[in-house]
Structures are given as structure tokens and as C-alpha cells.
Amino acid sequence: MTTELASLPPHARLWVYATREPLAPDAAQALARALTDFTDGWTSHGRAVHAASHVRDSRLVLLAGYVPGADQVSGCGIDASVHAVEDAARGLHLELAQALDVVYRMEDGMVDVLPRTAFKQMARDGTVDGNTTVFDLTATTVGDLRDGRLERPASESWHARLLPSTSNV
């Protein structure tokens, strides 16, 4: 059952994906439609998942859901969501960011995705620092999203370990 992200409770589970390249408007719309088609029929152990999806900043894919009365989406429901996102991306010839990639906001406001080693080198070069806005794709609930734990300064996230001033501690 598709709903709006803003109407989901804070404990609703959140999954965040990033695309390696920015999405063209038509690709973002097609991806959003594919995810809405999925969430319209998403179930977990035969129970409807109240869910929402959103494509943000031409790079980020947010998918969230919960099962009223059970609250958590089960393993099979999670697997179905992963397959839905991967299938939609594959159908649009999009490559999703990998676990070791860093998603950050550049000075011009655009979002970029880099391998962790490249981000560390940029930190050593002074191109990025603790004030650089990063996206913590490990945010796990809609509450995390609302509380600003998805997008925040690198110094306030696990990304601080990649910065020279903290990587030698």
C-alpha cells in the first residue's frame, strides 16, 4: 500500500540507495513509477506493507515501510524490496552505488558518488573536510531521516574516519 513518506511513523524501516550517475528527469520519473508499482502491492508474510518511495537529488532512492501491528517488514519482504529496486535500476540501465562508496554534496549543491579511496584522497587534498555534507546511507528508519541523520556534516558521521584530522587517532 503506497502512501506518502511524510505520513509514515518514525519507526518505519528505511532503505537508502544511491545511483552512480545522476538521473535524468525521465529516468527519475520512471524509477519513481516502478517503485510505486512495487509498493502498491508490497506484502510481508501476506500482510500489506504501508510504504513510500522517493527519488531525491537525482541520485538518492528512498524506500520505507512498515506493517501495522507487526511494525517490521520480514526478511522475505525485505528481499522483495531489494529485488524491486535492483530490477528497476537494471531496467533503466542504472548502476547503484556500492557499500564502500561515499555519497556527498559538492560545493555547487549537486550530489556525487565516489569510491571511499577517492573521497579520502580529496580529504587529504583539502577538497572536502568535516563541513562537507555527506549522506549516511546506514540510516535505518524514517525517524533517522526526519532527525537529519541521513544528510549531515562529515565530522558528525562515520565519514569522519576518512578525514585526515581523525583518521590518525
Side-chain angles (χ1 to χ4, degrees), residues 11 57 79 168:
H11 65 272
D57 290 305
D79 288 346
N168 296 326

Side-chain angles (χ1 to χ4, degrees), residues 69-161:
D71 291 333
Q72 296 298 325
V73 178
S74 69
C76 61
I78 294 169
D79 288 346
S81 72
V82 170
H83 291 301
V85 171
E86 289 175 346
D87 290 348
R90 193 172 17 264
L92 294 166
H93 308 289
L94 302 173
E95 185 179 349
L96 296 174
Q98 300 300 307
L100 293 180
D101 288 337
V102 173
V103 183
Y104 73 104
R105 193 172 295 283
M106 298 183 298
E107 285 185 18
D108 66 3
M110 300 299 292
V111 174
D112 198 10
V113 176
L114 291 174
R116 194 173 291 192
T117 55
F119 188 85
K120 272 181 91 168
Q121 184 59 51
M122 288 176 64
R124 283 192 294 273
D125 296 343
T127 308
V128 297
D129 60 25
N131 294 318
T132 300
T133 299
V134 295
F135 293 86
D136 187 350
L137 305 186
T138 65
T140 60
T141 67
V142 169
D144 289 342
L145 179 65
R146 290 183 185 138
D147 292 343
R149 287 192 286 273
L150 174 64
E151 184 175 0
R152 56 191 169 160
S155 63
E156 297 175 17
S157 176
W158 66 263
H159 299 81
R161 297 181 307 205

Side-chain angles (χ1 to χ4, degrees), residues 23-44:
L23 297 170
D26 59 332
Q29 290 173 351
L31 182 57
R33 275 192 307 275
L35 293 175
T36 297
D37 289 347
F38 168 71
T39 58
D40 281 346
W42 191 9
T43 62
S44 179

